[in-house]
Amino acid sequence: MKIMAIDYGDAHTGIAISDRLETLAGFTTVINTRRQEEVVTQIQSLIAEHGVERLVLGYPKNMDGTLGPRAEKCAALGEILQETTGLPLVLWDERRSTVEAHAILFGNGKNGKQRKKIVDAVAASLMLEGYLTRRRLEAEP
């Protein structure tokens, strides 16, 4: 099954889509818009284009586990996506995913401008990787 991870941001939304075997992110992109309606439309288009069957939406909790305004915005987007796509959706704790993405890109020699263009897609890939790992571990006897 193909699974899409979504790192929803104010201006940039990272997308990562798994391969059918659920082993790795086979496709990544960034949706560059502040308009939620446009984000939803582009996500719907990517779902149709890639045959996505499940959504994993980043749910940015505070470091102490509480929920802030950002988590509320993501939960609201999740409700819209479930209504418009009919796909199952998982809210995924994404604490530190963007920080880790920046560190990976910095470690690979990307400067600030280069990182800004792709950091959200890398963060979505990290979320997808975590989710796929959990699915594999839960499936083991």
Side-chain angles (χ1 to χ4, degrees):
M1 156 183 2
K2 285 195 172 187
I3 301 171
M4 175 189 285
I6 305 162
D7 181 33
Y8 182 52
D10 289 329
H12 310 285
T13 299
I15 303 290
I17 301 174
S18 75
D19 62 340
R20 286 226 176 270
L21 298 176
E22 300 180 23
T23 55
L24 51 89
F27 173 85
T28 61
T29 192
V30 176
I31 298 170
N32 296 302
T33 183
R34 293 184 176 278
R35 295 182 47 233
Q36 185 182 61
E37 306 82 29
E38 182 63 23
V39 171
V40 171
T41 298
Q42 289 191 40
I43 287 173
Q44 288 174 310
S45 176
L46 289 167
I47 288 169
E49 180 181 341
H50 294 275
V52 171
E53 299 173 68
R54 178 176 303 240
L55 304 174
V56 177
L57 177 61
Y59 193 52
K61 294 180 180 181
N62 296 322
M63 291 309 288
D64 65 0
T66 61
L67 302 178
R70 189 83 223 139
E72 292 170 7
K73 283 179 89 170
C74 289
L77 176 69
E79 290 178 19
I80 292 168
L81 288 172
Q82 280 186 298
E83 290 172 13
T84 59
T85 67
L87 295 177
L89 182 134
V90 174
L91 293 176
W92 185 257
D93 184 354
E94 65 155 313
R95 280 180 274 191
R96 300 192 46 80
S97 63
T98 302
V99 172
E100 290 174 26
H102 274 288
I104 289 167
L105 293 169
F106 180 78
N108 284 302
K110 301 292 185 194
N111 65 32
K113 190 173 184 178
Q114 292 169 323
R115 287 194 308 267
K116 187 174 182 176
K117 291 180 181 178
I118 59 172
V119 69
D120 299 293
V122 174
S125 294
L126 291 171
M127 288 181 349
L128 181 57
E129 179 182 294
Y131 179 75
L132 294 175
T133 299
R134 186 182 81 187
R135 280 178 59 88
R136 281 191 298 274
L137 291 174
E138 288 177 352
E140 291 179 3

